[in-house]
Amino acid sequence: METRTQELFKELNDLLNQLHQQGLKVSWSSIGKVMNRTEQRARAKFLMFADYIKEQKSNELWDVAYQVGSAKGFTPEHQDIINTTQPIAWKCAEGHAFNSSIRKMKYSNAVCPHCKKKNN
């Protein structure tokens, strides 16, 4: 039979794995101070910490998206961004909306599909 502490550590480990799958690098050592608190406070603090890390990563990716888009004449629509391969909404100078990933926008010859059809 597992103790409550073992259950908590398994739950926290699952959350860490989810963050890693989303491209967020968080280690047990980075939450060591949080784990010194009582179990309920530790869990609450960890969840707030995980949300903070996700928000920071999303903000960093938003900045990257804006830089990449601006260089090619597109504006990203604000939304939570998890990684560079996730499709996000963009607008071209003509105001057309379309979806593409940051990576595709950066490394390919990005063209608005609506403007491309219009010009053909």
Side-chain angles (χ1 to χ4, degrees):
M1 181 174 225
E2 292 182 346
T3 65
R4 178 63 187 132
T5 303
Q6 289 171 325
E7 291 173 8
L8 179 63
F9 278 108
K10 280 187 177 181
E11 190 176 332
L12 291 173
N13 197 45
D14 289 343
L15 287 169
L16 278 175
N17 288 333
Q18 289 174 10
L19 291 173
H20 282 278
Q21 288 173 354
Q22 294 177 7
L24 304 173
K25 303 299 178 201
V26 181
S27 67
W28 277 106
S29 61
S30 66
I31 61 167
K33 291 180 183 177
V34 173
M35 294 308 297
N36 291 330
R37 304 205 182 3
T38 62
E39 288 181 10
Q40 288 183 344
R41 287 185 62 197
R43 184 175 186 280
K45 290 279 187 181
F46 179 79
L47 293 174
M48 289 188 324
F49 178 70
D51 287 342
Y52 171 78
I53 295 295
K54 286 180 187 176
E55 184 178 327
Q56 290 299 107
K57 183 70 172 182
S58 182
N59 289 341
E60 289 172 15
L61 289 172
W62 170 252
D63 291 342
V64 170
Y66 188 79
Q67 291 171 359
V68 168
S70 295
K72 298 195 175 198
F74 301 109
T75 306
E77 294 294 304
H78 191 68
Q79 65 190 61
D80 289 337
I81 303 172
I82 297 171
N83 58 46
T84 59
T85 59
Q86 167 198 2
I88 61 171
W90 300 83
K91 277 195 178 178
C92 72
E94 299 281 322
H96 302 128
F98 63 98
N99 292 326
S100 185
S101 70
I102 297 171
R103 180 176 290 210
K104 189 173 181 180
M105 293 295 286
K106 183 174 182 176
Y107 295 112
S108 69
N109 187 13
V111 178
C112 168
H114 304 287
C115 292
K116 185 177 180 179
K117 286 179 187 175
K118 194 167 110 177
N119 291 333
N120 285 338

